[in-house]
Amino acid sequence: MKHAIALLALGLVGMSLEAQVTKAAFGTTKDGKAVDIYTLKDASLEVKIITYGARIQSVLAPDSHGKVGNVVLGAANLDGYVNDGGTYFGAVVGRYGNRIAKGQFTIDGKTFHVPINNNGQSLHGGTDGFSARVWTAKVIPEGVEMTLVSPDGDQGYPGELTAHVRYTLKGHALQIAYSATTTKATVLNLTNHSYFNLGGEGNGTIVNHKVQIDADRYTPVDSVLIPTGDLPPVAGTPFDFRTPHTIGERVDTKNDQLKLGGGYDHNWVLNGKSGVLRTAAVVSEPTSGRTLTVSTTEPGVQFYTGNSMKDGVNTGTGGAKYVRRGGFCLETQHFPDSPNHPAFPSTLLKPGQTFHSMTVFTFGVTK
């Protein structure tokens, strides 16, 4: 995928090229757990991450004129995340990101049941997923590593799972490296649920953003947003982003799939070899000139256009009230409901194996 961008570090002369990491208190949960916020800063970006849900709170990136602004939706305090209205702002979701049909799956002939929390389905790990846990953090070179131990039987999932998420800054890019091990065979689909607005968080909708996704196929869904199992081509449909299109161009066109999702809320089957880091999507915003390139080792990406956001419900880090479609998500992932679709790439993780995944968000500006 070709996209001409210039990566600029403007007005930052003299700053260390390597990321510096600082820590501060961010609040306490109702059950008395301390939540911290880590700031990663280098010559190009400043990223804040909280231990509640291992969430990205903000990403400060320059626009084409060198003006720095936050391009990630979030909350200014812990309460804004605890009571986020099911938006999952900036969170690591799991054990299973996205949906599992009827909250059940089978491993080695045994059926497991996980909490149902979305139209009769299980979404993002259930009623008490990883997004609502306080992760353990430690500073690593150029970043921070978040760790969570999920006990055997947690939310119905088998095996004690130890998950690590490493956030590091490398120039103009925020790298997210996932790894996990388990004591019993289980299913796993970790992803980050950040919402982006390259015009600046709280600055209106994202319908003017231009999106390109390197995918020839996608996974259509049924009435409860569970994949049908088909992998039709995007050609000739509003899901064809192989060349750039603005979000607003087709998001509200008359299309059965768009009607089911209330807009774009689907998984794209990425081109290229799964397990190899390659470009999945490129997004640009015309007013600011900012760009976002998403690279991943995952086989799919969920493109979501904030269709369920409600005007004025959430207040952003800068104090502005968010609006419907105030942000978009590009959740790199395995496909939704993969445990119930043998033809989809497997999400099974067994003892003795280590799950690895990498996603990179690279920020730049148009020439």
Side-chain angles (χ1 to χ4, degrees), residues 70-284:
N70 178 21
V71 297
V72 169
L73 275 60
N77 53 52
L78 180 58
D79 183 66
Y81 287 105
V82 174
N83 300 296
D84 67 1
T87 58
Y88 302 93
F89 285 137
V92 171
V93 290
R95 286 189 192 188
Y96 200 94
N98 218 305
R99 292 171 175 84
I100 295 179
K102 300 178 181 179
Q104 66 182 41
F105 55 89
T106 301
I107 299 176
D108 296 331
K110 182 178 180 180
T111 300
F112 295 88
H113 298 272
V114 294
I116 289 172
N117 62 332
N118 183 262
N119 294 325
Q121 323 307 312
S122 184
L123 174 67
H124 295 330
T127 53
D128 184 23
F130 289 3
S131 60
R133 309 290 177 87
V134 178
W135 294 56
T136 301
K138 70 174 183 180
V139 175
I140 59 175
E142 301 184 299
V144 61
E145 180 181 84
M146 302 280 179
T147 299
L148 183 69
V149 178
S150 172
D152 184 16
D154 186 7
Q155 297 283 285
Y157 288 91
E160 180 181 274
L161 184 89
T162 301
H164 304 280
V165 181
R166 297 168 66 96
Y167 293 100
T168 54
L169 286 187
K170 301 285 187 181
H172 303 267
L174 173 62
Q175 298 184 358
I176 310 177
Y178 304 86
S179 63
T181 56
T182 183
T183 60
K184 295 180 181 178
T186 192
V187 294
L188 180 69
N189 191 25
L190 297 176
T191 188
N192 181 274
H193 205 294
S194 286
Y195 294 69
F196 297 96
N197 186 327
L198 299 181
E201 64 91 28
N203 189 23
T205 73
I206 41 77
V207 295
N208 69 329
H209 286 54
K210 188 171 288 186
V211 178
Q212 187 173 5
I213 302 174
D214 190 16
D216 296 332
R217 295 174 296 160
Y218 77 111
T219 54
V221 296
D222 63 17
S223 62
V224 289
L225 303 185
I226 295 295
T228 63
D230 297 328
L231 300 175
V234 297
T237 77
F239 295 86
D240 189 351
F241 283 93
R242 293 175 297 173
T243 57
H245 291 271
T246 62
I247 292 172
E249 179 183 342
R250 301 173 299 180
V251 69
D252 289 321
T253 57
K254 291 183 179 181
N255 174 277
D256 288 343
Q257 284 294 307
L258 290 175
K259 183 178 179 180
L260 289 171
Y264 294 110
D265 189 9
H266 296 74
N267 172 73
W268 271 253
V269 180
L270 293 174
N271 295 332
K273 185 178 180 181
S274 178
V276 175
L277 188 68
R278 73 264 191 231
T279 299
V282 177
V283 186
S284 62

